[in-house]
Amino acid sequence: MTFKSGFVAILGRPNVGKSTFLNHVMGQKIAIMSDKAQTTRNKIMGIYTTDKEQIVFIDTPGIHKPKTALGDFMVESAYSTLREVDTVLFMVTADEPRGKGDDMIIERLKQAKVPVILVVNKIDKVHPDQLLEQIEDFRTQMDFKEIIPISALQGNNVSHLVDVLSDNLEEGFQYFPADQITDHPERFLVSEMIREKVLQLTREEIPHSVAVVIDEMKRDEDTDKIHIRATIMVERDSQKGIVIGKQGSMLKKIGTLARKDIEVMLGDKVFLETWVKVKKNWRDKKLDLADFGYNEKEY
Ligand SMILES: Nc1nc2c(ncn2[C@@H]2O[C@H](COP(=O)(O)OP(=O)(O)OP(=O)(O)O)[C@@H](O)[C@H]2O)c(=O)[nH]1
Ligand SMILES: [Mg+2]
């Protein structure tokens, strides 16, 4: 039996459900998710391996009109996958009409000359008639290899989509060991899980202004727990106050929820210590961006 493999990028506007889809396929949380736009900031692989194939999914930041240097980095990372993959999943959502953002992406996809599968997500939110209209509308915009409606949240039709990808794979190497599920180190996943809780628990500009840096992560021999020290960066003093909350209540909530996720991921007991620090306008400062993991080479 020949082994098959291939790289598949998941591209689309923010908030359409790209990371939810990746996590559903992988059966565990690799990419963080939230109802805030621009949740994902770095490309992240989900490596799906069976005894006959390996599909390397690349989840990407939602493509938007960037307003900061961070935004430029995010959009560039997303588009850079077009040079790295065999197939693109262009994800849109069934419950919102095609917009300028989609058209912009379609133009880039046409130039890229990679096979594109249109994935219409969130079908659980619409009447079948609306879904058909949406499919008809997108169908006329470009020549899609396939059009597949799914619900990433409920899992409807997700396995069919994976089957279609499987059927289209070419003979190839197993690029990664069978037990490797992503390309990022644990430290990155830990920082993301903390950021996810901030995104889920805060509103307005705070989700966009937050970065998380892991200062230390090591086993404490006395308690036999993984001791993690993390700093939550914000852009303004007022934001620091909100993230800490009344008598530290918000920070405590963030820490407790994040710790639970991190313990599941690491399969170990964790002691999580969090600090909040102000770094004025870090999203527009190249050095800060690099320090916080938003440059090409580092995580
Ligand atoms: N009803 C419904 N909601 C969904 C579905 N898929 C994702 N969502 C929700 O949509 C929101 C965005 O999901 P994400 O997976 O973070 O979206 P994303 O495309 O990765 O977003 P960015 O990282 O910002 O580009 C979350 O609140 C999800 O729960 C779906 O199939 N149905
Ligand atoms: Mg995402």
Side-chain angles (χ1 to χ4, degrees):
M1 194 176 65
T2 53
F3 196 83
K4 293 177 164 188
S5 60
F7 287 77
V8 176
I10 313 163
L11 252 72
R13 275 165 29 183
N15 229 11
V16 295
K18 299 178 293 298
S19 301
T20 306
F21 166 76
L22 181 84
N23 293 336
H24 192 92
V25 171
M26 298 302 297
Q28 59 183 292
K29 193 193 287 179
I30 290 178
I32 62 167
M33 303 166 284
S34 88
D35 59 358
K36 313 292 189 299
Q38 298 165 34
T39 296
T40 304
R41 289 179 179 163
N42 305 76
K43 291 189 272 189
I44 181 162
M45 281 183 187
I47 306 166
Y48 173 91
T49 312
T50 68
D51 52 0
K52 56 182 177 22
E53 76 213 322
Q54 182 164 73
I55 308 178
V56 182
F57 290 95
I58 307 177
D59 183 19
T60 64
I63 295 172
H64 62 284
K65 247 201 172 130
K67 295 196 183 77
T68 60
L70 173 64
D72 289 335
F73 164 80
M74 289 162 60
V75 173
E76 265 325 297
S77 325
Y79 280 133
S80 71
T81 57
L82 291 176
R83 299 188 295 269
E84 302 165 352
V85 299
D86 307 297
T87 305
V88 170
L89 299 181
F90 173 39
M91 187 173 284
V92 300
T93 169
D95 65 332
E96 280 170 29
R98 177 170 56 85
K100 276 200 186 122
D102 294 305
D103 294 347
M104 213 169 58
I105 300 170
I106 288 171
E107 282 314 308
R108 291 289 290 259
L109 293 176
K110 281 180 181 165
Q111 292 163 16
K113 299 193 171 49
V114 187
V116 178
I117 296 177
L118 178 73
V119 180
V120 185
N121 189 28
K122 307 198 186 181
I123 56 170
D124 56 285
K125 286 180 101 172
V126 301
H127 188 274
D129 289 345
Q130 194 182 335
L131 173 62
L132 287 177
E133 275 173 36
Q134 183 77 319
I135 289 174
E136 267 321 301
D137 179 43
F138 272 97
R139 192 199 293 282
T140 57
Q141 302 304 309
M142 127 170 222
D143 191 15
F144 294 110
K145 187 156 191 223
E146 302 251 1
I147 298 181
I148 303 178
I150 66 164
S151 167
L153 193 66
Q154 300 184 344
N156 308 358
N157 226 19
V158 170
S159 59
H160 169 65
L161 173 47
V162 175
D163 286 345
V164 169
L165 291 170
S166 274
D167 290 344
N168 284 293
L169 287 178
E170 308 236 341
E171 195 178 326
F173 295 113
Q174 181 180 323
Y175 293 96
F176 300 94
D179 60 354
Q180 186 177 344
I181 53 166
T182 188
D183 56 335
H184 286 270
E186 275 172 350
R187 273 176 106 89
F188 171 84
L189 300 181
V190 167
S191 72
E192 285 288 270
M193 284 179 181
I194 299 168
R195 195 167 63 84
E196 182 186 66
K197 301 312 167 200
V198 182
L199 260 58
Q200 290 172 350
L201 293 170
T202 63
R203 287 177 300 147
E204 285 154 25
E205 87 287 3
I206 292 183
H208 295 296
S209 300
V210 161
V212 177
V213 173
I214 305 300
D215 304 304
E216 192 177 25
M217 183 167 157
K218 64 164 197 239
R219 180 174 296 279
D220 183 329
E221 300 298 342
D222 295 337
T223 58
D224 203 29
K225 286 183 180 179
I226 310 286
H227 193 129
I228 299 170
R229 223 158 27 82
T231 305
I232 300 174
M233 305 288 177
V234 292
E235 290 192 304
R236 287 199 294 277
D237 291 325
S238 58
Q239 296 172 339
K240 180 173 173 176
I242 295 170
V243 172
I244 292 173
K246 258 200 190 118
Q247 288 159 352
S249 57
M250 178 59 100
L251 194 57
K252 194 167 172 205
K253 217 168 171 181
I254 292 166
T256 307
L257 290 173
R259 179 177 51 77
K260 285 183 184 152
D261 272 16
I262 297 166
E263 285 183 334
V264 170
M265 179 186 69
L266 298 176
D268 228 322
K269 284 274 169 213
V270 165
F271 178 76
L272 175 62
E273 207 182 330
T274 47
W275 302 86
V276 185
K277 215 165 154 178
V278 179
K279 270 270 181 188
K280 294 238 155 58
N281 297 326
W282 66 264
R283 282 185 293 165
D284 268 319
K285 296 195 176 133
K286 284 266 150 63
L287 278 179
D288 287 341
L289 287 177
D291 279 351
F292 302 165
Y294 305 117
N295 65 356
E296 269 308 312
K297 280 170 230 85
E298 292 182 39
Y299 296 127

